[in-house]
Amino acid sequence: MERPLRVAVVGAGPAGIYAAEALAGQDDVPVTVDLLDRLPTPFGLVRHGIAPDHTKMRALADTLRHTLDHPGVRFVGDVEVGRDLSVADLRAHCDAVVFTHGASGARRLGIEGEDLPGSLAATDVVAWYTGHPDADRARVEAALARARDVVLVGVGNVALDVARVLARCPAELEQTDMPQHVLDVLAAAPVERITLLGRRGPAQATFTTQELRELGHLSAAVALTDPDGLDEESEVRAVARNLAALREFAEHVPEAGKASVRLRFFARPVRLCGDERVTGVVVERTAVDPADRLSGTRETEVLPADLVVAAIGYQGHDLPGLAVEGGTVPNEGGRVLRDGAVSPGEYVAGWIKRGPTGVVGTNKHDARETVAALLADSPTLPRVEGADLVDTLRARGRRPVLLENWRAIDDAEHALGATRGRARTTIHDRDALRAHAHGAQR
Ligand SMILES: Cc1cc2nc3c(=O)[nH]c(=O)nc-3n(C[C@H](O)[C@H](O)[C@H](O)COP(=O)(O)OP(=O)(O)OC[C@H]3O[C@@H](n4cnc5c(N)ncnc54)[C@H](O)[C@@H]3O)c2cc1C
């Protein structure tokens, strides 16, 4: 009898897990799935993106983990495609490959001063506060140690996440899974004023109302905004709700002893000031004409800033052997296109397929579309002769993190959390993750 179709899924974030679930959960085509990730841990941005104080959202990991237990799915962590395995290796070992490696590179502001110490991308800060092993601790912690005035560029949910985490008092973060060093640095950060800059008006901001309202309920900070653009009416319910929440913020006044989080619209940064490090942001007032075109008014001011965080979006990058165009892999309903033609046996799902938008659940429909294409193609996909992927990795001296190893990390994180009365604490250090993982391999 022909062996099951061997599929490699590259990236164990939501898209990869939903793709694995759709492949393993059907009976028409027998399939085995190797679910690879460059990290020793699964869940992608559910672990290293969703804000730690959003504990209910982060609990999505508890749903995603069921797929890892499926007998047809093998988690293969700590294996980076492009470094430990090439795309050609994958093609030689598997009958089909689904690329779901996300799009978590930062978009840049492209203005003078952006590379000064004290200027960070939201990706840096988010990676740090969620305990990503690749986070640049020294850079982020040096910036936070003197961050009295913080300017956040962007008015999407990620900007709000960063603002909220910085504005929260230690007690509000105590029960999260943030690493202890993160909690300690945040508790010591002297943050007094956080300003968010949106280049368009409040009606164009991309945050969701729930996230916006949360800013109004922080125990150690007051949410403020200016009345500019708030008299606008909108037929779009989500926009109308945002405007209503902002009108409430416009009535707030600063409170002694509390930090402030101010949303400013029609404002864009044109330059970061400072010699050794960031000291301020030159902000230009903008105008939006009836055709929705944005222009600068040349009216500028300097906002003091010890820390500037650009939260202006994410971007996909090339994987060696798989190029992106405009931040996504060219595809047709999930079938990878190379030089404009479908490349048999190669598929793509999630952010790297459609761009960095949507909520976790959006990736489920997206992955299902891709898997439907793969299963439809399966009768025509040639079965490869290659050895087992994990055997090849071991023969190359790699030590992949398999399910039992990941479970050992999971147990260690629960145990670490319990030492301080928390449900879990993220282990951020790659060597420590590996030690826990392989300590379990008896
Ligand atoms: C800061 C932030 C906060 C968010 N908050 C929310 C929220 O509150 N609610 C919500 O619904 N959505 C939220 N999202 C969106 C949500 O996280 C995404 O929709 C989702 O994670 C995208 O899934 P993905 O699988 O395409 O990518 P990712 O989650 O990025 O997963 C990609 C995976 O691929 C791995 N990988 C990358 N390169 C390689 C390689 N070369 N080899 C092997 N593996 C590789 C990565 O390690 C990662 O695990 C947030 C996103 C961000 C950035």
Side-chain angles (χ1 to χ4, degrees):
M1 211 177 76
E2 202 176 34
R3 63 162 174 76
L5 191 77
R6 267 194 216 159
V7 182
V9 176
V10 180
I17 293 181
Y18 288 134
E21 178 187 72
L23 284 162
Q26 51 81 44
D27 297 322
D28 298 334
V29 182
V31 177
T32 58
V33 180
D34 278 334
L35 178 59
L36 302 151
D37 206 284
R38 61 185 290 277
L39 295 183
T41 52
F43 310 135
L45 290 168
V46 171
R47 180 176 163 101
H48 292 301
I50 294 179
D53 61 331
H54 280 174
T55 41
K56 280 201 188 125
M57 273 312 293
R58 286 178 73 78
L60 263 172
D62 295 333
T63 311
L64 296 175
R65 74 173 59 227
H66 294 306
T67 298
L68 304 186
D69 295 332
H70 193 288
V73 177
R74 180 168 61 168
F75 175 64
V76 187
D78 208 6
V79 172
E80 182 166 334
V81 172
R83 187 194 61 191
D84 306 315
L85 278 176
S86 66
V87 170
D89 287 331
L90 287 175
R91 302 304 318 272
H93 285 77
C94 302
D95 309 315
V97 182
V98 186
F99 295 98
T100 56
H101 52 285
S104 45
R107 285 183 55 201
R108 287 177 58 81
L109 290 169
I111 59 175
E112 193 184 324
E114 188 173 10
D115 295 320
L116 282 169
S119 160
L120 301 172
T123 44
D124 301 321
V125 181
V126 171
W128 172 76
Y129 69 51
T130 59
H132 194 293
D134 296 342
D136 189 341
R137 274 189 68 181
R139 219 169 123 241
V140 176
E141 291 174 17
L144 277 168
R146 54 174 84 200
R148 205 169 293 279
D149 284 287
V150 180
V151 173
L152 268 154
V153 184
V155 282
N157 278 345
V158 174
L160 295 195
D161 280 349
V162 174
R164 198 181 61 250
V165 167
L166 294 184
R168 281 211 188 272
C169 68
E172 288 174 311
L173 298 174
E174 176 60 27
Q175 287 307 314
T176 67
D177 60 9
M178 286 173 168
Q180 189 58 43
H181 68 268
V182 171
L183 292 169
D184 293 342
V185 169
L186 287 174
V191 175
E192 282 179 7
R193 284 165 293 274
I194 301 175
T195 307
L196 290 95
L197 303 178
R199 44 186 194 155
R200 292 175 180 269
Q204 284 83 41
T206 55
F207 43 59
T208 49
T209 312
Q210 201 183 343
E211 293 246 355
L212 181 63
R213 284 194 188 131
E214 254 189 295
L215 275 192
H217 297 110
L218 300 175
S219 64
V222 187
L224 306 166
T225 193
D226 307 317
D228 251 18
L230 293 182
D231 47 2
E232 199 175 318
E233 296 296 333
S234 176
E235 307 265 291
V236 183
R237 274 177 52 200
V239 175
R241 282 196 299 256
N242 281 351
L243 291 172
L246 287 166
R247 278 183 209 117
E248 281 182 30
F249 292 0
E251 312 245 302
H252 293 171
V253 287
E255 286 180 40
K258 285 194 176 186
S260 65
V261 181
R262 180 179 290 277
L263 291 112
R264 288 193 50 180
F265 298 95
F266 301 109
R268 68 176 178 197
V270 288
R271 185 164 61 84
L272 305 193
C273 327
D275 298 323
E276 306 278 296
R277 50 172 300 105
V278 169
T279 55
V281 185
V282 180
V283 175
E284 181 183 35
R285 197 175 161 73
T286 62
V288 179
D289 71 14
D292 213 26
R293 280 180 304 237
L294 179 102
S295 58
T297 61
R298 291 174 188 261
E299 192 188 314
T300 61
E301 67 180 298
V302 181
L303 284 184
D306 315 294
L307 168 62
V308 177
V309 182
I312 54 168
Y314 283 66
Q315 199 168 26
H317 292 300
D318 290 348
L319 194 70
L322 186 73
V324 297
E325 273 174 33
T328 55
V329 173
N331 73 91
E332 221 171 63
R335 293 182 175 95
V336 169
L337 300 176
R338 290 188 187 263
D339 300 323
V342 167
S343 172
E346 291 190 303
Y347 303 85
V348 66
W351 272 17
I352 196 63
K353 170 185 175 188
R354 61 171 206 282
T357 57
V359 293
V360 168
T362 319
N363 301 292
K364 189 165 190 164
H365 306 287
D366 183 335
R368 282 186 179 160
E369 179 195 48
T370 297
V371 167
L374 189 160
L375 294 173
D377 296 347
S378 66
T380 62
L381 295 175
R383 301 295 199 262
V384 298
E385 300 286 331
D388 178 76
L389 203 58
V390 169
D391 291 344
T392 297
L393 284 161
R394 288 190 174 134
R396 291 180 185 180
R398 302 296 313 173
R399 228 175 156 196
V401 169
L402 304 183
L403 182 61
E404 59 162 349
N405 312 112
W406 149 242
R407 285 198 182 126
I409 294 175
D410 198 31
D411 290 346
E413 292 195 335
H414 282 116
L416 182 61
T419 61
R420 296 199 187 232
R422 298 175 192 141
R424 110 181 272 133
T425 292
T426 301
I427 297 173
H428 67 283
D429 179 72
R430 197 183 283 266
D431 290 337
L433 288 166
R434 285 177 175 155
H436 286 295
H438 300 297
Q441 213 171 39
R442 283 177 275 265

